[in-house]
């Protein structure tokens, strides 16, 4: 299993959307354990090495750095772009 690292910005958004934070953290942990589990909800961003995961109305932008997943942004659909 890979280690998940959250940026300060991502943690701030998790606190802001507390009711969905558990669901978002669970989806990220499932992806860290088995990337094939969320193959339909993860896409690579154009012109970047970052990936974007859809969790309901939320979008999670993260980097896959081998043994680590670095979560950089979390937010509502439309407000998260990179």
């Amino acid at each position: 299993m890979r280690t998940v690292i959250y940026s300060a910005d991502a943690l701030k958004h998790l606190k802001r959307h507390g009711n969905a934070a558990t669901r978002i953290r669970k989806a990220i942990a499932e992806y860290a354990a088995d990337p094939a589990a969320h193959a339909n909800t993860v896409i690579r961003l154009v012109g970047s090495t970052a990936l974007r995961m859809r969790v309901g109305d939320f979008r999670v932008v993260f980097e896959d750095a081998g043994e680590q997943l670095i979560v950089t942004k979390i937010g509502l659909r439309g407000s998260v772009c990179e």
Side-chain angles (χ1 to χ4, degrees):
M1 180 164 174
R2 296 184 247 177
T3 306
V4 179
I5 300 171
Y6 294 91
S7 70
D9 187 44
L11 288 174
K12 182 175 76 172
H13 285 285
L14 278 177
K15 287 180 185 177
R16 185 179 300 158
H17 304 290
N19 55 349
T22 304
R23 185 175 174 199
I24 293 169
R25 285 184 187 263
K26 180 181 174 192
I28 294 168
E30 288 174 355
Y31 182 82
D34 182 23
H38 287 274
N40 293 337
T41 61
V42 175
I43 63 167
R44 184 163 306 279
L45 295 176
V46 176
S48 175
T49 60
L51 300 166
R52 185 187 75 198
M53 176 187 291
R54 179 175 50 92
V55 182
D57 286 340
F58 290 88
R59 301 297 181 261
V60 180
V61 178
F62 62 96
E63 296 274 341
D64 189 352
E67 290 298 316
Q68 297 179 337
L69 290 179
I70 303 167
V71 179
T72 56
K73 293 183 183 181
I74 298 173
L76 287 171
R77 189 175 67 111
S79 67
V80 173
C81 60
E82 188 167 329

